[in-house]
């Protein structure tokens, strides 16, 4: 038997944990499981890859098993909300692994796929429903699901749900779930809005924090190459050609930038795929399966599409573009070094991105190791002018691709606008 026994989980779940190869609970599991079993509300502060899903999934399953109440048609006994389709599917798959030998049913619903099969699946009711907020509300409005039967509500990656504008959906959904419910809220970072959300929806929550908000995984080696934006594609291609055995996730700021970079990598003979908002759900699933199976070695992604995805064996995360929001860096690099493995996070920083780099270092408390290039002089406050002029004109789409044609000149007496800064 494993260390999980001391946490108070029932026998069928202990067996499932063992069959799954989990020997020792992760810190968030050790801290959270006993409280969730007791029925407490919980605010879990944990970065991605720390074993959060089992931290709420196991005790939730335990509580449902202990109380074998029948599920009402269209009803659910527990509701788990997550920001992206990938994360919903991943949570459902992870929880199903523990429930294989039990009668507990798990259903997932996400947007981007047809409604009718979901309506049909929900008609009989389900023990656990995992959903993205938008699709769930759609189904509620169509009368396909009732939430008043849910006695547990889990909000996973709550900070990202807010970033994606789900706050109104969350408010509506929380009102529909039974008032007597247990609420669990997980977030990797703790902005003020999450504090407010927690204060509104949680009752006397236990706060469990396994790493200070914004702290990056200890086992990720973090480095930075200072590279002019126009040179980034060639630079990254070279790095990847030299390291054919790595499994890498590459983050770009825009969908078009991600797609273009993926094509350039493929043209250089690298087995690459992409996931971003312009890809259908089937294409995204195929790309993730491809990376998992080793069919592709590099997945180029935007932040939203890659949020929460768990691909074991990602050895490198590349920040091709720095994220606009420092917190996103923590999520990005959390895609490697998952569940105790080690990993590398490599950032390509252009001179105009130095301010963003410093914000990340302030948030994480980590100074990135300089792997190559020279530190550009920091632009004056309010300016994002590069320390050295780029060799070629740049695109405005954050893709890192050079555009042909000369940069339009700014009249001397006109102040810089945001658009000028982007061009620079
Ligand atoms: P999560 O943070 O829930 O996405 O989990 C990240 C990864 O860690 C997943 O691949 C889990 O299967 C794995 N994992 C979670 N808990 C444990 C554990 N106690 N021992 C080993 N692996 C785990």
């Amino acid at each position: 038997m494993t260390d999980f026994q001391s946490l108070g989980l029932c026998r069928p779940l202990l067996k499932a944990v063992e069959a799954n190869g989990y020997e020792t609970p992760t810190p968030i599991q050790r801290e959270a499981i006993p409280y969730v079993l007791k029925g407490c509300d919980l605010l879990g502060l944990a970065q991605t890859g720390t074993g959060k899903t089992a931290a709420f999934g196991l005790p939730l399953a335990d509580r449902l098993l202990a109380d074998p109440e029948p599920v009402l048609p269209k009803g659910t006994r527990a509701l788990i909300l997550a920001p992206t389709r990938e994360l919903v599917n991943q949570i459902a798959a992870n929880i199903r692994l523990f429930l294989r030998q039990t009668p507990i049913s798990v259903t997932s619903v996400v947007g981007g796929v047809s409604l009718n099969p979901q309506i049909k699946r929900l008609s009989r009711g389900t023990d656990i429903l995992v959903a993205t907020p938008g699709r769930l509300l759609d189904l509620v409005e169509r009368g396909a699901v009732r939430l008043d039967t849910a006695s547990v509500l889990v909000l996973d990656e709550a900070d990202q749900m807010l970033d994606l504008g789900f706050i109104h959906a969350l408010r509506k959904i929380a009102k529909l779930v039974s008032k007597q419910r247990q609420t669990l809220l997980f977030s990797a970072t703790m902005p003020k809005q999450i504090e407010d959300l927690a204060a509104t929806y949680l009752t006397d929550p236990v706060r469990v924090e396994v790493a200070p908000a914004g702290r990056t995984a200890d086992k990720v080696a973090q480095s930075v190459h200072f590279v002019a934006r126009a040179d980034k594609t060639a630079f990254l291609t070279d790095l990847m050609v030299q390291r054919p055995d790595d499994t890498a996730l590459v983050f770009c700021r825009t969908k078009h930038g991600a797609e273009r970079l993926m094509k350039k990598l493929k043209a250089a003979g690298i087995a690459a795929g992409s996931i971003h908002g312009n890809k259908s759900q089937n294409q995204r699933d195929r790309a993730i399966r491809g990376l998992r199976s080793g069919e592709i070695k590099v997945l180029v992604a935007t932040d939203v599409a890659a949020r929460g995805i768990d691909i074991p064996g990602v050895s490198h995360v590349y920040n091709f573009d720095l994220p606009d929001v420092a917190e996103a860096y923590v999520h990005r690099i959390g895609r490697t070094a998952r569940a105790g493995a080690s990993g590398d996070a490599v950032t390509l920083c252009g001179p105009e991105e130095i301010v963003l780099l410093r914000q990340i270092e302030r948030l994480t408390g980590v100074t990135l190791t300089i792997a190559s290039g020279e530190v550009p002089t920091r632009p004056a406050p309010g300016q994002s002018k590069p320390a050295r002029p780029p060799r070629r004109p740049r695109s405005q789409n954050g893709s890192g691709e050079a555009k042909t044609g000369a940069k339009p000149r700014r009249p001397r007496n006109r102040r810089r606008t945001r658009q000028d800064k982007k061009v620079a």
Side-chain angles (χ1 to χ4, degrees), residues 4 22 24-26 29 48-54 90 94 310 338-339:
F4 279 93
Y22 291 9
T24 320
T26 64
Q29 290 162 3
T48 47
T50 52
K52 260 190 299 168
T53 315
Q90 194 174 291
N94 199 327
D310 175 34
R338 290 176 81 77

Side-chain angles (χ1 to χ4, degrees), residues 286-297:
R286 211 177 314 129
I288 291 176
R289 270 202 310 275
L291 195 71
R292 280 208 169 108
S293 69
E295 193 188 318
I296 60 171
K297 299 300 285 179

Side-chain angles (χ1 to χ4, degrees), residues 228-231 351-352 386-394 407 423-424:
R229 197 193 276 184
D231 297 334
E352 68 285 2
R388 276 181 296 162
R391 276 186 280 167
R392 280 188 276 164
R394 310 288 178 71
K407 184 175 102 183
V423 175

Side-chain angles (χ1 to χ4, degrees), residues 399-420:
S399 67
E401 301 296 319
K403 258 186 142 185
T404 48
K407 184 175 102 183
R409 283 188 76 90
R410 176 170 49 98
R412 269 191 182 188
N413 55 358
R414 187 165 68 78
R415 275 177 70 93
R416 269 172 169 265
T417 63
R418 253 184 109 124
Q419 199 59 24
D420 290 331

Side-chain angles (χ1 to χ4, degrees), residues 36-304:
V36 182
L37 283 175
K38 272 194 233 159
C40 301
D41 278 7
L42 183 128
L43 173 60
L45 265 170
Q47 52 199 121
T48 47
T50 52
K52 260 190 299 168
T53 315
F56 64 77
L58 285 170
L60 166 64
D62 193 293
R63 299 199 66 204
L64 297 180
L65 280 167
D67 179 15
E69 195 184 281
V71 190
L72 295 176
K74 299 185 183 179
T76 183
R77 298 174 65 202
L79 174 63
I80 302 171
L81 295 176
T84 63
R85 304 161 191 178
E86 282 77 13
L87 190 56
V88 163
N89 290 334
Q90 194 174 291
I91 292 170
N94 199 327
I95 292 179
R96 278 191 195 109
L97 279 181
F98 300 118
L99 296 176
R100 269 198 295 228
Q101 309 295 331
T102 75
I104 303 279
S105 55
V106 182
T107 303
S108 57
V109 294
V110 295
V113 289
S114 60
L115 274 158
N116 283 340
Q118 295 180 351
I119 294 174
K120 209 163 154 202
R121 263 185 283 142
L122 289 169
S123 63
R124 265 172 290 142
T126 180
D127 288 295
I128 301 178
L129 176 59
V130 194
T132 46
R135 175 52 61 100
L136 181 65
L137 270 187
D138 206 349
L139 288 160
V140 168
E141 277 155 21
R142 285 162 197 266
V145 63
R146 51 186 289 192
L147 304 180
D148 57 333
T149 53
S151 58
V152 185
L153 172 65
V154 181
L155 308 176
D156 195 15
E157 308 255 354
D159 47 350
Q160 180 72 357
M161 287 206 265
L162 296 189
D163 287 350
L164 290 174
F166 284 138
I167 185 70
H168 298 299
L170 288 185
R171 286 209 184 104
K172 276 192 189 162
I173 292 168
K175 278 194 196 132
L176 297 172
V177 179
S178 155
K179 283 215 165 43
Q180 311 309 322
R181 67 172 186 256
Q182 177 183 27
T183 308
L184 315 174
L185 187 151
F186 290 87
S187 185
T189 52
M190 200 64 192
K192 168 89 176 54
Q193 268 190 305
I194 297 286
E195 298 266 7
D196 295 346
L197 196 72
T200 314
Y201 295 115
L202 275 64
T203 311
D204 283 337
V206 176
R207 188 178 167 124
V208 171
E209 187 169 0
V210 295
R215 285 290 142 127
T216 44
D218 290 343
K219 296 200 172 174
V220 183
Q222 300 173 58
S223 60
V224 57
H225 295 269
F226 291 106
V227 195
R229 197 193 276 184
D231 297 334
K232 283 188 178 182
T233 302
F235 189 92
L236 185 71
T237 309
D238 281 353
L239 278 183
M240 293 196 156
V241 167
Q242 285 163 29
R243 311 184 55 96
D245 297 328
D246 292 350
T247 299
L249 260 177
V250 180
F251 284 95
C252 291
R253 211 145 44 87
T254 67
K255 297 182 260 194
H256 296 298
E259 194 61 14
R260 216 183 326 239
L261 177 63
M262 181 272 286
K263 286 183 180 155
K264 288 268 168 76
L265 293 173
K266 271 179 118 165
I270 296 162
S274 61
I275 53 168
H276 49 71
N278 283 356
K279 296 273 175 176
S280 70
Q281 189 57 38
N282 279 343
Q283 288 171 318
R284 292 183 191 202
D285 291 345
R286 211 177 314 129
I288 291 176
R289 270 202 310 275
L291 195 71
R292 280 208 169 108
S293 69
E295 193 188 318
I296 60 171
K297 299 300 285 179
V298 179
L299 190 59
V300 187
T302 52
D303 286 293
V304 166

